[in-house]
């Protein structure tokens, strides 16, 4: 073979490998729909009773949102199923719309945020806030999330939020004993 031809082949292979690595990084680093597993939630809340997971409810499009998914983790109290943890994830039509939705939630929370120690915290590329010690919300890129539960612990709410953000990033949150949860 001609030296020039071999050189061109090597250059093409290097370009393909680099392009593959860059595209893999971009795909992996983009947030997406993904929910923590019920065992991860169980670990986060440190509860003695198992939670039942209901199906993902998909809706959309709506104003500024192309798709929304909700997952409920239920607990039976006195024989009645009660939504114990709710995770809502939404794909906004743009990053600016996700940021605007985050700000809208932030502003509407108002005085509840003043009492929180977790305001505009960054985790896994997400910006998030915890309010009332039982609700967290945040965004990254086009993705926005809200986590709510029946407890009143800032620490647990942060764990639940981090599990949701890790699942949306395709990663495993350190306090979880399970995998990356449910990615859609």
């Amino acid at each position: 073979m001609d030296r020039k031809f071999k050189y061109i082949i090597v250059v093409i292979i290097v370009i393909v490998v680099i392009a593959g690595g860059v595209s893999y990084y971009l795909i992996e680093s983009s947030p997406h729909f993904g929910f923590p597993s019920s065992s991860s939630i169980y670990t986060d809340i440190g509860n003695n009773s198992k939670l039942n997971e209901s199906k993902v409810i998909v809706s959309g499009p709506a104003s500024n949102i192309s798709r929304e998914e909700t997952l409920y983790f239920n607990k039976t109290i006195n024989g009645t199923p009660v939504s114990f943890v709710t995770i809502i994830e939404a794909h906004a039509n743009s990053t600016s719309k996700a940021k605007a939705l985050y700000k809208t939630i932030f502003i509407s929370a108002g005085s509840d945020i003043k009492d929180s120690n977790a305001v505009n915290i960054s985790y896994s590329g997400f910006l998030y806030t915890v309010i009332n010690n039982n609700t967290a919300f945040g965004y990254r890129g086009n993705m926005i999330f809200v986590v709510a539960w029946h407890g009143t612990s800032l620490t647990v709410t942060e764990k639940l939020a981090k599990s949701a953000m890790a699942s949306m990033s395709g990663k495993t949150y350190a306090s979880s004993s399970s995998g990356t949860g449910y990615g859609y």
Side-chain angles (χ1 to χ4, degrees), residues 44-87:
D44 291 345
I45 63 175
N47 204 309
N48 293 328
S49 61
K50 288 287 186 184
L51 297 174
N52 299 316
E53 179 182 320
S54 66
K55 67 179 183 173
V56 174
I57 298 170
V58 179
S59 61
S63 178
N64 298 326
I65 299 290
S66 60
R67 179 181 170 111
E68 180 180 311
E69 296 184 7
T70 306
L71 183 62
Y72 301 96
F73 295 92
N74 302 315
K75 179 179 179 179
T76 302
I77 299 175
N78 298 327
T80 305
V82 174
S83 177
F84 197 71
V85 176
T86 302
I87 301 174

Side-chain angles (χ1 to χ4, degrees), residues 64-156:
N64 298 326
I65 299 290
S66 60
R67 179 181 170 111
E68 180 180 311
E69 296 184 7
T70 306
L71 183 62
Y72 301 96
F73 295 92
N74 302 315
K75 179 179 179 179
T76 302
I77 299 175
N78 298 327
T80 305
V82 174
S83 177
F84 197 71
V85 176
T86 302
I87 301 174
I88 302 169
E89 297 176 4
H91 184 271
N93 293 332
S94 68
T95 300
S96 62
K97 297 212 189 278
K99 183 177 182 179
L101 288 168
Y102 176 80
K103 285 183 176 181
T104 299
I105 297 170
F106 193 88
I107 290 168
S108 66
S111 63
D112 293 335
I113 290 176
K114 291 177 185 171
D115 299 330
S116 177
N117 294 327
V119 179
N120 288 329
I121 296 174
S122 181
Y123 178 79
S124 194
F126 282 84
L127 184 66
Y128 76 98
T129 296
V130 177
I131 57 172
N132 285 336
N133 293 335
N134 64 359
T135 305
F137 60 94
Y139 85 99
R140 177 177 154 206
N142 289 24
M143 295 300 294
I144 190 161
F145 75 91
V146 177
V147 173
W149 74 296
H150 279 258
T152 56
S153 166
L154 174 70
T155 303
V156 172

